[in-house]
Structure formats: C-alpha cells, structure tokens
Amino acid sequence: MCDGSHMAHNKECGDNVGPLIVSVDTKKKEEEEVVEEEKAVVVVSSSDSVATIEKTTSSPFSKLKSIFKKDNKEGPTTKEKLAKMGLSALLSYGWVSNMSYAITLSLSWYTHSKKTGLSPLAPGQWKPFLAVYAGFYVFTNIIRPLRFGLSVVVSQYFDRFVGFIERKSGWGRKASIGVVVFLANVCGTFAAMGLGVGVASTLAGVPIFPPKVV
C-alpha cells in the first residue's frame, strides 16, 4: 500500500510521479538453483549406473550366465559360444566331460556291485551293468548346463597350464597344447576312471576281477 511519502515531492515538482520499488524473491531463485543442481546429480548418477551395468555385462559372470541360456534358431550353439571364449574353454569342457563320465562309471560300478555282489566283469554281468550305467548317463545329460558352466571356470587353469608348459619347455603354443591335452584329457581321464573303479570296488566289498572258477 502507498504510504503517501511521495506527496511532498509532487507539490514541489508539480507532477504526479510516485516511486516504483522492484523486489526480487532471492529465496525462490536459490530454490530453483538447488533443484537444477539435484537434477545434474541425478543425471551423473544415472550415467554412472549405466556405465556400471555395461561393465558388469562384460564380466565373467555374465559370460557364465549366457552359457545357461537356451540356444535359439538364429543364435550360436553352446559349443560355438565356448569356441568364442577361446581354446582353453573347449579343452576344459572336454576334461570336465571326461571327469563326469569317470564319476558316472564309478557310481555305476559301485551300484551294480553292491546290488548283485558281483563285479561287472563277472560272466553275464556286463549287460546289467550297462543298464545301470545308462541311468546315470541320462542324469549327466540333464546336468549338462552345469558342465558347461564348470568348464568356463576351469578354463583359466588350462590356460595357465599351457603357458607353464610353454615357458618351461620352450616349445610353441601348439606343442604345449598337445602336451596338456595328453596329460589332462588322456592320462587324467584313465587315472580318474581307474581310481574311481578301485574306490567303488573297495566300498562295495567286491573285487574288480572275479576269481577264476577251477
């Protein structure tokens, strides 16, 4: 409201001019600046989150997760995915598969020997043993995704083993890979099978080789 303070000025100057006071709401302006700063922080945080997500998708865990996804008609098969991950992944998959078959053989041997009291090598026992083995074999196919995942984890150790042979022997990459395949996938497989059958036979209380009938 007008307080009449300009009337003295109007009488002296003979005009009807009054003062005009313009005020600025600084508090509102400060609030707007704070809001803009908060928006900027949110944008930066979102960018950081996106960068974190992109980094996570390229992690070994995401690769492992992609192995468990079902193959579609247009996408690569699981073995093709392993091939893209490197030769070490393929070598480790072969080793993991061989170990799973060695375990299957051992479990089948123990189950048959414990149930029949006879060794699978005894006369007339091979076919019943193969029937038991077939049941375990079906189970190993059901857990195949687990084997794929395990091969991804083991692949780093195969890569280190190849590098170790390469450094110690001075041989080339191909020769070192051949040595690793022979030691791990061939010798290792036969050793695991022999050890597994021996343990199964001992636990079942049935000798591996049946006694000769005189």
Side-chain angles (χ1 to χ4, degrees):
M1 296 180 65
C2 179
D3 58 359
S5 60
H6 62 89
M7 295 182 68
H9 171 78
N10 296 144
K11 290 180 179 180
E12 292 178 2
C13 300
D15 58 19
N16 192 28
V17 177
L20 177 64
I21 300 175
V22 179
S23 61
V24 179
D25 190 352
T26 57
K27 185 176 180 181
K28 184 177 181 180
K29 186 176 182 181
E30 290 176 355
E31 291 177 352
E32 291 178 352
E33 290 178 352
V34 170
V35 171
E36 291 297 328
E37 290 178 357
E38 290 178 350
K39 288 181 179 180
V41 171
V42 171
V43 171
V44 172
S45 299
S46 300
S47 300
D48 293 340
S49 299
V50 172
T52 303
I53 292 173
E54 290 178 351
K55 185 177 181 181
T56 303
T57 53
S58 60
S59 65
F61 177 76
S62 64
K63 293 180 179 179
L64 179 61
K65 186 177 179 181
S66 66
I67 293 296
F68 290 92
K69 292 182 178 180
K70 293 183 179 180
D71 302 328
N72 52 47
K73 294 181 180 180
E74 297 180 356
T77 62
T78 306
K79 289 186 178 181
E80 289 174 345
K81 292 177 183 178
L82 286 172
K84 287 184 179 181
M85 296 180 67
L87 181 61
S88 296
L90 287 175
L91 292 177
S92 63
Y93 174 70
W95 181 81
V96 169
S97 297
N98 291 345
M99 292 301 104
S100 67
Y101 295 141
I103 294 174
T104 299
L105 175 65
S106 303
L107 292 175
S108 302
W109 197 286
Y110 170 79
T111 302
H112 178 273
S113 298
K114 192 69 175 179
K115 183 178 180 180
T116 63
L118 297 172
S119 169
L121 300 180
Q125 297 302 311
W126 190 246
K127 286 186 178 181
F129 167 73
L130 291 180
V132 176
Y133 180 84
F136 282 102
Y137 181 80
V138 171
F139 177 74
T140 60
N141 283 333
I142 294 175
I143 63 171
R144 179 175 293 181
L146 181 61
R147 284 159 44 194
F148 287 135
L150 185 59
S151 66
V152 175
V153 177
V154 176
S155 63
Q156 58 179 325
Y157 300 103
F158 268 80
D159 193 46
R160 293 176 186 176
F161 193 16
V162 172
F164 174 79
I165 297 296
E166 195 172 0
R167 290 192 303 272
K168 293 298 181 179
S169 65
W171 298 337
R173 181 75 174 177
K174 293 182 179 179
S176 300
I177 291 174
V179 172
V180 171
V181 170
F182 176 75
L183 292 177
N185 290 24
V186 179
C187 297
T189 299
F190 282 109
M193 291 173 64
L195 178 62
V197 169
V199 171
S201 177
T202 301
L203 293 177
V206 178
I208 297 176
F209 299 100
K212 295 182 178 181
V213 179
V214 181

